[in-house]
Amino acid sequence: GTSEAAALYIGGSWLHAQGVAEGERWSRIGRKWLENRAARLIGIDGSFSQYSLNYHRVMIDTFCMVEVWRRHLRLPQFSSKWQARSLVACEWLRAMINPLNGDGPNLGANDGARLLQLTDTDYRDYRPSVQLGFALFANARAYADDGAWNLSLCWLGIELPEAIAASSSSQLFDDGGFAVLRRGRAMAMLRYPRFRFRPSQADALHLDFWLDGRNLLRDAGTYSYNTDTQWLSYFPGTASHNTVQFDDRDQMPRLGRFLFGEWLKTSYIEPLSSLDDMTTFAAGYRDRRK
């Protein structure tokens, strides 16, 4: 929905600028659905409907393209709600990744999509997208230092802001079901079930653990669209995640290639807490078999 709406908005406004009358209507439709999708698919905490780090980046890059294009043609601003949801989505992504190398948990679907490849950074370096998003929607730098993450701004003619955003700390994204715990050289991410949209992975209570930028406990990812049935079942399933599995079965019954049924619900939460020498969070669930 976000990609198609962006195509209508950008393509329609360009056609209108070239004298094609119908382009204005297409641009209005695209703008309407961009507003709608931001309000519907991005939670108040920045979590996105696809529950995927990589597709979260695709969404942010899409919205950044739209905002750059809007400024280029001096079109009317989007609503304050659209701007706010775009910013919290950028803050969500920055909270998930390691500032040392830009990498983050291999959370959710990852088929290799990368929309704005304006730098020679590694595919798993999310900092260019975060920096561009912060510059556009917060008028601030997510990363103070100079680096390849600033190149997208140069290519797109966006001035590098002077203001610097506060650094990320431990944070709970309860609308989407994610807890990020940071302490010194360590980071952990716990996934717990808060499904408002269809889950494509049976990854409840998956724990990612990072130390000095190294992903020591991890998600196996989703591999490829074109592979054996065994692996198409394994990678989205519970067995490929760093979590508890009972009786060698998935946490939810599979209804299709990209859909699970009997969506889990969190039944227990211990609040995020940071004391002098400890940062803690806990969650639990009961599945369909109790």
Side-chain angles (χ1 to χ4, degrees):
T2 56
S3 300
E4 292 166 357
L8 276 170
Y9 177 77
I10 292 173
S13 57
W14 181 82
L15 288 170
H16 181 63
Q18 306 308 310
V20 179
E22 195 173 6
E24 184 179 14
R25 183 175 71 87
W26 292 337
S27 180
R28 285 201 311 268
I29 294 173
R31 181 187 179 99
K32 167 194 167 184
W33 283 105
L34 281 165
E35 295 275 7
N36 177 283
R37 295 296 82 188
R40 171 76 176 126
L41 302 181
I42 302 173
I44 57 175
D45 64 1
S47 301
F48 184 47
S49 61
Q50 288 188 272
Y51 306 128
S52 159
L53 200 76
N54 200 59
Y55 274 96
H56 198 104
R57 173 170 63 181
V58 169
M59 176 269 293
I60 287 175
D61 285 350
T62 301
F63 280 21
C64 286
M65 286 176 62
V66 165
E67 177 61 13
V68 169
W69 182 257
R70 184 199 68 77
R71 295 184 185 191
H72 179 69
L73 290 190
R74 296 182 174 84
L75 299 172
Q77 287 189 347
F78 283 81
S79 70
S80 58
K81 186 172 188 177
W82 189 85
Q83 299 276 347
R85 290 295 169 91
S86 299
L87 176 57
V88 292
C90 295
E91 291 173 339
W92 183 98
L93 184 57
R94 184 174 72 140
M96 287 282 175
I97 66 175
N98 189 322
L100 299 176
N101 57 16
D103 200 358
N106 202 21
L107 171 72
N110 185 349
D111 60 7
R114 188 180 186 186
L115 191 60
L116 278 182
Q117 195 165 341
L118 298 178
T119 71
D120 62 354
T121 51
D122 188 85
Y123 161 75
R124 295 195 59 85
D125 187 345
Y126 292 82
R127 289 173 295 182
S129 295
V130 172
Q131 187 80 320
L132 177 59
F134 266 77
L136 291 172
F137 302 119
N139 194 29
R141 303 187 210 184
Y143 308 106
D145 297 336
D146 190 27
W149 45 87
N150 291 328
L151 293 178
S152 296
L153 281 72
C154 297
W155 280 110
L156 297 171
I158 304 300
E159 186 175 347
L160 187 65
E162 292 293 330
I164 299 170
S167 58
S168 293
S169 58
S170 297
Q171 203 164 346
L172 187 64
F173 299 96
D174 191 59
D175 193 54
F178 305 96
V180 178
L181 286 69
R182 293 181 181 274
R183 181 168 287 272
R185 299 154 42 220
M187 183 196 90
M189 187 279 292
L190 182 70
R191 173 72 168 121
Y192 61 100
R194 281 280 196 253
F195 300 128
R196 289 195 301 123
F197 304 93
R198 67 179 190 181
S200 64
Q201 299 211 349
D203 59 353
L205 301 190
H206 165 80
L207 178 69
D208 244 64
F209 180 69
W210 297 67
L211 184 64
D212 292 330
R214 295 181 60 207
N215 194 185
L216 301 179
L217 302 176
R218 65 181 69 187
D219 186 325
T222 46
Y223 201 58
S224 170
Y225 277 103
N226 300 303
T227 189
D228 298 335
T229 302
Q230 171 191 358
W231 301 117
L232 288 172
S233 176
Y234 170 77
F235 283 100
T238 304
S240 74
H241 294 91
N242 183 41
T243 187
V244 176
Q245 184 180 29
F246 297 99
D247 302 325
D248 295 324
R249 59 181 170 85
D250 283 333
Q251 297 162 336
M252 299 173 283
R254 188 181 296 277
L255 300 182
R257 189 169 180 180
F258 301 112
L259 181 63
F260 287 91
E262 299 284 350
W263 298 357
L264 300 174
K265 293 183 179 180
T266 295
S267 59
Y268 165 80
I269 277 190
E270 205 173 278
L272 179 64
S273 173
S274 290
L275 302 176
D276 291 340
D277 59 350
M278 186 180 300
T279 300
T280 62
F281 174 79
Y285 70 87
R286 288 179 179 270
D287 69 9
R288 66 193 185 280
R289 299 189 184 183
K290 309 299 184 186

